[in-house]
Amino acid sequence: MEKTKGNVDLLHGPILKSLIVFMIPVAVSNIFQQLYNAVDTAIVGNYLGESSLAAIGACAAVFEMMVGFSYSLGTGFSIVCGRSYGSQDEDTMKKSVAGSIVLGLLTCIVMTVLFLVIMKPLLVLIHTPAEIIDESYSYMFWIEIGLVVMFTYNLCSAMLRAIGNSIMPLVFLIISSLLNIFLDILFITSFHMGVAGAAIATVIAQGVSAVLCIIYMVKKTKILIPSRKHFQIDKDLYMDLAGQGFSMALMGSIVSIGSIILQSGINGLGTEIIAGHVSARKIYAICNLPFISMGMAVASFIAQNKGAGQGKRILKAMHAAYLYDVIAAALVTLILWPAAPVLVRWISGSSNPVIVNNGAKMLRIVGPFYAVLGILMQTRFALQGVGSKIMPLFSSVIELAGKIIFVWLLIPVFQYDAVVWCEPIIWCFMTAYLLFAFYRNSYVRSIRKEA
């Protein structure tokens, strides 16, 4: 099969080195991806004030659900592509790309219509304060319109990663991130478009990254470009794609539904708490990236090595990833403890002590638990990579149930303290379950016996 210059060889050589070399561009790409919304938040907070900042914060969980859905769908599809690449089956790989395009675009069209219908009632349902609900809806309307654009970039970048190329999605994303900053400032400060301007800037910038990615794939990675014959429906392949893609997207959506429920509890605590939490949440999301990025590397690594029949490398990769999680979490914690208040002030554009102190509290408590979150992510991606669809999905049900319990029983009593401790406690339960599920998986048990 044709090899593309710049791909990382995940099938041979030192495992941890391969994972880290593959992961670094993914991590930087994810940083720039997060900067889309973080820059929106910072510019809105600094130029439009605390009320507009709270408007974006009130719908942050809904925004994350839409981003997570498109990202998870593309990643799930790419697992099938990665297996075909590992087994050197170019024809099946092109069919999997074609099937991903068909299933993904149809799904995004349906989801866009659905979100347009339910968004305003959803914002009411999660107790968005009346004084900011119109701004929240204005922001989310344009994000909804751009859902297909968001999915297109995520699918293209996921397919490139499936064949070991994590560099080029980063290059395109850097360009579009710089464009996003320019458009944010232009639309908000010069055109006075408010929070809608921030959303429109995000959609345009992501559209540029998607177009650049497609142009590169057509010119440089022809092994990923299907012809007309590859769009013929292969029932078994489409079932595999649907199983991987929709289970991962559903998993992400269940997690996001839990976050929306949690957001409803936060929204009831007032605009100052919302503003402080959303500011901390942007920093929290950036700190997540070393762990999410390693999970994406693990998913590509396992998909390729399973396709190539190299089970022993899969086990070694998991042990290496877990060690990485512990070290990375320690470093993140050392940064967050002293820097949290400064970071919250920078993101929020506010010196209000309620905003700064509550945001800093969240970051300092979450820091040490990043090790648990990292192991959770690597194991969940690994289960997807070995072909398990239900077990990772059930972990999201655990998270949803935990957040419901916190919102109904604990936040009314312990207020923001319950919000801060909610996710770290739930992560511990999820990680224990996922480790059990992974090492009891039939494929994993078989390769452990061989080892």
Short mmCIF file of all heavy atoms in Angstrom, two decimals, residues 42 46 276 279-280 282-283 335-353 355-361 363-364:
data_model
loop_
_atom_site.label_atom_id
_atom_site.label_comp_id
_atom_site.label_asym_id
_atom_site.label_seq_id
_atom_site.Cartn_x
_atom_site.Cartn_y
_atom_site.Cartn_z
N ALA A 42 -12.49 34.74 25.88
CA ALA A 42 -11.64 35.84 26.35
C ALA A 42 -12.03 37.16 25.70
O ALA A 42 -12.11 38.19 26.38
CB ALA A 42 -10.17 35.51 26.07
N ASN A 46 -13.63 40.32 27.69
CA ASN A 46 -12.89 41.58 27.76
C ASN A 46 -13.59 42.73 27.04
O ASN A 46 -13.47 43.88 27.46
CB ASN A 46 -11.48 41.38 27.19
CG ASN A 46 -10.54 40.70 28.17
OD1 ASN A 46 -9.94 41.34 29.02
ND2 ASN A 46 -10.44 39.37 28.06
N GLY A 276 -17.42 32.53 36.44
CA GLY A 276 -16.21 31.94 37.00
C GLY A 276 -16.00 30.51 36.54
O GLY A 276 -14.88 30.10 36.21
N SER A 279 -14.97 30.28 32.77
CA SER A 279 -13.57 30.67 32.60
C SER A 279 -12.64 29.53 33.01
O SER A 279 -11.68 29.21 32.30
CB SER A 279 -13.27 31.93 33.43
OG SER A 279 -14.10 32.99 33.03
N ALA A 280 -12.92 28.92 34.16
CA ALA A 280 -12.12 27.79 34.60
C ALA A 280 -12.27 26.60 33.65
O ALA A 280 -11.31 25.86 33.41
CB ALA A 280 -12.54 27.38 36.02
N LYS A 282 -12.63 26.59 30.46
CA LYS A 282 -11.78 26.72 29.27
C LYS A 282 -10.35 26.29 29.57
O LYS A 282 -9.71 25.62 28.76
CB LYS A 282 -11.79 28.17 28.76
CG LYS A 282 -13.17 28.72 28.41
CD LYS A 282 -13.97 27.75 27.57
CE LYS A 282 -15.42 28.19 27.46
NZ LYS A 282 -16.29 27.15 26.89
N ILE A 283 -9.86 26.67 30.75
CA ILE A 283 -8.52 26.25 31.16
C ILE A 283 -8.49 24.75 31.41
O ILE A 283 -7.56 24.05 31.00
CB ILE A 283 -8.09 27.03 32.43
CG1 ILE A 283 -8.12 28.53 32.15
CG2 ILE A 283 -6.71 26.59 32.90
CD1 ILE A 283 -8.18 29.39 33.38
N ILE A 335 1.55 23.19 37.65
CA ILE A 335 1.29 24.47 36.96
C ILE A 335 0.03 25.14 37.49
O ILE A 335 -0.01 26.35 37.74
CB ILE A 335 1.18 24.23 35.44
CG1 ILE A 335 2.54 23.78 34.87
CG2 ILE A 335 0.70 25.50 34.73
CD1 ILE A 335 2.46 23.29 33.44
N LEU A 336 -1.02 24.35 37.70
CA LEU A 336 -2.32 24.92 38.06
C LEU A 336 -2.36 25.51 39.47
O LEU A 336 -3.01 26.54 39.69
CB LEU A 336 -3.41 23.86 37.94
CG LEU A 336 -3.88 23.51 36.52
CD1 LEU A 336 -4.96 22.46 36.56
CD2 LEU A 336 -4.38 24.76 35.79
N TRP A 337 -1.68 24.90 40.42
CA TRP A 337 -1.80 25.38 41.80
C TRP A 337 -1.40 26.85 41.92
O TRP A 337 -2.15 27.64 42.48
CB TRP A 337 -0.96 24.48 42.72
CG TRP A 337 -1.81 23.37 43.27
CD1 TRP A 337 -2.10 22.19 42.65
CD2 TRP A 337 -2.53 23.37 44.50
NE1 TRP A 337 -2.95 21.43 43.43
CE2 TRP A 337 -3.23 22.13 44.58
CE3 TRP A 337 -2.66 24.27 45.55
CZ2 TRP A 337 -4.04 21.79 45.66
CZ3 TRP A 337 -3.46 23.93 46.64
CH2 TRP A 337 -4.14 22.71 46.68
N PRO A 338 -0.23 27.27 41.44
CA PRO A 338 0.09 28.70 41.58
C PRO A 338 -0.58 29.60 40.54
O PRO A 338 -0.83 30.77 40.80
CB PRO A 338 1.62 28.72 41.42
CG PRO A 338 1.93 27.54 40.55
CD PRO A 338 0.92 26.49 40.93
N ALA A 339 -0.87 29.06 39.35
CA ALA A 339 -1.28 29.92 38.23
C ALA A 339 -2.79 30.06 38.07
O ALA A 339 -3.24 30.92 37.31
CB ALA A 339 -0.69 29.37 36.92
N ALA A 340 -3.59 29.28 38.79
CA ALA A 340 -5.03 29.25 38.56
C ALA A 340 -5.70 30.62 38.63
O ALA A 340 -6.46 30.99 37.73
CB ALA A 340 -5.70 28.27 39.52
N PRO A 341 -5.47 31.43 39.67
CA PRO A 341 -6.17 32.74 39.72
C PRO A 341 -5.81 33.65 38.55
O PRO A 341 -6.68 34.34 38.00
CB PRO A 341 -5.68 33.34 41.06
CG PRO A 341 -5.24 32.17 41.86
CD PRO A 341 -4.67 31.19 40.88
N VAL A 342 -4.53 33.66 38.18
CA VAL A 342 -4.09 34.51 37.07
C VAL A 342 -4.77 34.08 35.78
O VAL A 342 -5.23 34.91 34.98
CB VAL A 342 -2.57 34.46 36.92
CG1 VAL A 342 -2.11 35.24 35.69
CG2 VAL A 342 -1.89 35.01 38.17
N LEU A 343 -4.85 32.77 35.54
CA LEU A 343 -5.45 32.24 34.32
C LEU A 343 -6.94 32.58 34.26
O LEU A 343 -7.46 32.94 33.20
CB LEU A 343 -5.24 30.73 34.25
CG LEU A 343 -3.79 30.26 34.06
CD1 LEU A 343 -3.69 28.75 34.22
CD2 LEU A 343 -3.26 30.69 32.70
N VAL A 344 -7.63 32.45 35.38
CA VAL A 344 -9.07 32.77 35.41
C VAL A 344 -9.29 34.25 35.14
O VAL A 344 -10.20 34.63 34.39
CB VAL A 344 -9.69 32.35 36.76
CG1 VAL A 344 -11.14 32.84 36.85
CG2 VAL A 344 -9.65 30.83 36.92
N ARG A 345 -8.46 35.10 35.73
CA ARG A 345 -8.59 36.54 35.47
C ARG A 345 -8.36 36.86 34.00
O ARG A 345 -9.06 37.69 33.41
CB ARG A 345 -7.59 37.33 36.34
CG ARG A 345 -8.07 37.60 37.75
CD ARG A 345 -7.24 38.68 38.44
NE ARG A 345 -5.87 38.24 38.65
CZ ARG A 345 -5.45 37.62 39.74
NH1 ARG A 345 -6.29 37.39 40.73
NH2 ARG A 345 -4.18 37.26 39.86
N TRP A 346 -7.40 36.18 33.39
CA TRP A 346 -7.09 36.45 31.98
C TRP A 346 -8.24 36.02 31.07
O TRP A 346 -8.64 36.76 30.17
CB TRP A 346 -5.81 35.72 31.57
CG TRP A 346 -5.46 35.95 30.13
CD1 TRP A 346 -4.92 37.07 29.58
CD2 TRP A 346 -5.67 35.04 29.05
NE1 TRP A 346 -4.78 36.92 28.22
CE2 TRP A 346 -5.23 35.68 27.87
CE3 TRP A 346 -6.19 33.74 28.96
CZ2 TRP A 346 -5.29 35.07 26.62
CZ3 TRP A 346 -6.23 33.14 27.71
CH2 TRP A 346 -5.80 33.79 26.56
N ILE A 347 -8.78 34.85 31.32
CA ILE A 347 -9.87 34.34 30.47
C ILE A 347 -11.13 35.17 30.67
O ILE A 347 -11.83 35.52 29.71
CB ILE A 347 -10.16 32.85 30.77
CG1 ILE A 347 -9.01 31.97 30.26
CG2 ILE A 347 -11.47 32.41 30.12
CD1 ILE A 347 -8.90 31.86 28.76
N SER A 348 -11.45 35.49 31.91
CA SER A 348 -12.72 36.16 32.20
C SER A 348 -12.66 37.66 31.95
O SER A 348 -13.70 38.30 31.74
CB SER A 348 -13.13 35.92 33.66
OG SER A 348 -12.22 36.54 34.55
N GLY A 349 -11.46 38.24 32.00
CA GLY A 349 -11.34 39.69 31.90
C GLY A 349 -11.90 40.40 33.12
O GLY A 349 -12.23 41.59 33.06
N SER A 350 -12.01 39.66 34.24
CA SER A 350 -12.63 40.21 35.44
C SER A 350 -11.71 40.03 36.65
O SER A 350 -10.99 39.03 36.75
CB SER A 350 -13.97 39.52 35.72
OG SER A 350 -14.50 39.91 36.96
N SER A 351 -11.77 41.00 37.58
CA SER A 351 -11.08 40.87 38.86
C SER A 351 -12.06 40.62 40.00
O SER A 351 -11.68 40.66 41.17
CB SER A 351 -10.27 42.14 39.15
OG SER A 351 -9.26 42.33 38.17
N ASN A 352 -13.31 40.37 39.65
CA ASN A 352 -14.33 40.06 40.64
C ASN A 352 -13.89 38.84 41.46
O ASN A 352 -13.69 37.76 40.91
CB ASN A 352 -15.65 39.77 39.92
CG ASN A 352 -16.81 39.53 40.87
OD1 ASN A 352 -16.65 38.99 41.96
ND2 ASN A 352 -18.00 39.93 40.45
N PRO A 353 -13.75 38.97 42.78
CA PRO A 353 -13.22 37.86 43.58
C PRO A 353 -14.10 36.61 43.56
O PRO A 353 -13.60 35.49 43.69
CB PRO A 353 -13.12 38.45 45.00
CG PRO A 353 -14.00 39.66 45.00
CD PRO A 353 -13.97 40.19 43.61
N ILE A 355 -15.79 35.49 40.94
CA ILE A 355 -15.45 34.81 39.68
C ILE A 355 -14.07 34.15 39.77
O ILE A 355 -13.90 32.97 39.45
CB ILE A 355 -15.50 35.81 38.52
CG1 ILE A 355 -16.94 36.27 38.27
CG2 ILE A 355 -14.92 35.22 37.25
CD1 ILE A 355 -17.08 37.37 37.24
N VAL A 356 -13.08 34.91 40.23
CA VAL A 356 -11.70 34.41 40.24
C VAL A 356 -11.53 33.28 41.25
O VAL A 356 -10.93 32.24 40.93
CB VAL A 356 -10.72 35.57 40.55
CG1 VAL A 356 -9.30 35.03 40.73
CG2 VAL A 356 -10.76 36.61 39.44
N ASN A 357 -12.03 33.44 42.46
CA ASN A 357 -11.80 32.44 43.51
C ASN A 357 -12.50 31.12 43.21
O ASN A 357 -11.94 30.04 43.44
CB ASN A 357 -12.26 32.98 44.86
CG ASN A 357 -11.40 34.13 45.35
OD1 ASN A 357 -10.25 34.28 44.91
ND2 ASN A 357 -11.93 34.95 46.24
N ASN A 358 -13.73 31.19 42.69
CA ASN A 358 -14.44 29.95 42.38
C ASN A 358 -13.81 29.23 41.20
O ASN A 358 -13.69 28.00 41.20
CB ASN A 358 -15.92 30.23 42.11
CG ASN A 358 -16.71 30.41 43.39
OD1 ASN A 358 -16.77 29.52 44.22
ND2 ASN A 358 -17.30 31.57 43.55
N GLY A 359 -13.40 29.98 40.17
CA GLY A 359 -12.72 29.35 39.05
C GLY A 359 -11.42 28.70 39.46
O GLY A 359 -11.11 27.56 39.06
N ALA A 360 -10.62 29.39 40.29
CA ALA A 360 -9.35 28.85 40.75
C ALA A 360 -9.54 27.60 41.62
O ALA A 360 -8.77 26.65 41.55
CB ALA A 360 -8.57 29.91 41.52
N LYS A 361 -10.60 27.61 42.44
CA LYS A 361 -10.89 26.45 43.29
C LYS A 361 -11.10 25.20 42.46
O LYS A 361 -10.57 24.12 42.76
CB LYS A 361 -12.13 26.72 44.14
CG LYS A 361 -12.53 25.54 45.03
CD LYS A 361 -13.93 25.70 45.59
CE LYS A 361 -13.99 26.77 46.65
NZ LYS A 361 -15.30 26.82 47.33
N LEU A 363 -10.01 24.50 39.43
CA LEU A 363 -8.78 24.05 38.78
C LEU A 363 -7.84 23.37 39.75
O LEU A 363 -7.20 22.36 39.42
CB LEU A 363 -8.09 25.24 38.11
CG LEU A 363 -8.85 25.87 36.94
CD1 LEU A 363 -8.16 27.15 36.49
CD2 LEU A 363 -8.95 24.89 35.78
N ARG A 364 -7.73 23.88 40.94
CA ARG A 364 -6.80 23.31 41.92
C ARG A 364 -7.26 21.94 42.41
O ARG A 364 -6.44 21.06 42.67
CB ARG A 364 -6.64 24.27 43.10
CG ARG A 364 -5.77 25.48 42.75
CD ARG A 364 -5.84 26.54 43.82
NE ARG A 364 -4.82 27.57 43.60
CZ ARG A 364 -4.82 28.75 44.20
NH1 ARG A 364 -5.80 29.06 45.05
NH2 ARG A 364 -3.86 29.63 43.96
#
